[in-house]
């Protein structure tokens, strides 16, 4: 069994508790994705309890999609709680380049040292000061255009960086992987990218000592499930339903046979 298939098995056996600080649009979708995959979601974001709860979770994910000062307080408390316990946390800097408020918040959170940074190409490029083609939450740049920035960020900050899009790129500054698959329907279903961040957290919670392999496994699992759902979906509505079913039914053996990963 490949490492990717093994990590899927481990994740389902451990059913990691993932604290998901995510946006209002994504909460329901992300919770259903985690439950279907075999993990346990908890949407705990209030500053008064987020830090304490992070000490109980197997992983933390932080998404700035619907940002507010109160939510930033909860994010920082949760990150501090996770860091104190050595718990992996994943940062999704949604459209952080769009406004001064977002840029400042994203920089402050990035300085707290995420285990994994996951974003689209425009979001990753913007951390290098580049002015990309992003429009709102949508990427306007190719994954390939962001690969060098991802490598540099990963190396300088000792973290894993995942650039997701039509195909995905993952690096820890030394190792790199490209993941192929998925479906062109996926961008037409709201919150699937945000839910992927939470799923990466689940896999990192199952394999906290190897966040690179955990991230590659999570993205591969998502891509294969997306390909399966594409084959039977009639459009975005039916895709959303079939995708959850495929996350639940996809076996480690199928993942091993169908994952398209190029390592470098």
């Amino acid at each position: 069994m490949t490492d990717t298939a093994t990590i899927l098995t481990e994740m389902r056996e451990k059913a990691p508790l993932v604290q998901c600080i995510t946006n209002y649009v994504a909460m329901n979708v992300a919770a259903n994705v985690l439950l279907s995959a075999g993990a346990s979601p908890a949407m705990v974001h209030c500053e008064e309890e987020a830090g304490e709860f992070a000490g109980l979770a197997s992983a933390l994910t932080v998404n700035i999609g619907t940002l507010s000062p109160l939510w930033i307080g909860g994010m920082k408390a949760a990150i501090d709680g996770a860091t104190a316990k050595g718990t992996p946390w994943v940062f999704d800097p949604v459209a952080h380049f769009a406004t001064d408020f977002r840029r400042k918040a994203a920089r402050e959170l990035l300085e707290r040292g995420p285990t994994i940074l996951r974003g689209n190409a425009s979001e990753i490029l913007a951390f290098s000061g580049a002015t990309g083609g992003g429009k709102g939450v949508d990427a306007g740049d190719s994954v390939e255009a962001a690969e060098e920035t991802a490598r540099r960020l990963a190396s300088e900050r000792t973290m894993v960086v995942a650039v997701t899009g039509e195909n995905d790129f993952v690096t820890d500054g030394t190792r790199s992987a490209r993941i192929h698959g998925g479906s062109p329907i996926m961008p037409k279903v709201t919150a699937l990218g945000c839910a992927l961040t939470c799923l990466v957290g689940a896999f990192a919670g199952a394999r906290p000592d190897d966040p690179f392999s955990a991230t590659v496994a999570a993205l591969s699992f998502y891509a294969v499930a997306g390909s399966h759902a594409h084959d039977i979906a009639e459009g975005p509505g039916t895709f959303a339903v079939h995708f959850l079913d495929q996350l639940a039914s996809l076996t480690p053996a199928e993942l091993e046979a169908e994952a398209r990963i190029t390592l470098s």
Side-chain angles (χ1 to χ4, degrees), residues 15-26:
L17 176 63
V18 183
Q19 182 177 357
C20 305
I21 302 182
T22 193
N23 62 76
Y24 293 117
V25 179

Side-chain angles (χ1 to χ4, degrees), residues 1 3-18 33-41 58-59 198-208 213-214 217-219 221-222 247-248 250 252 255:
M1 186 181 293
D3 201 38
T4 295
T6 300
I7 297 172
L8 171 59
T9 300
E10 292 173 357
M11 190 277 293
R12 286 175 168 164
E13 289 175 347
K14 294 178 180 179
L17 176 63
V18 183
V33 163
L34 287 189
L35 289 169
S36 296
S40 178
S58 299
C198 297
L199 187 71
V200 169
F203 277 71
R207 185 69 75 87
S213 297
L219 269 55
F221 176 60
Y222 220 61
L247 290 172
L250 187 66
L255 180 60

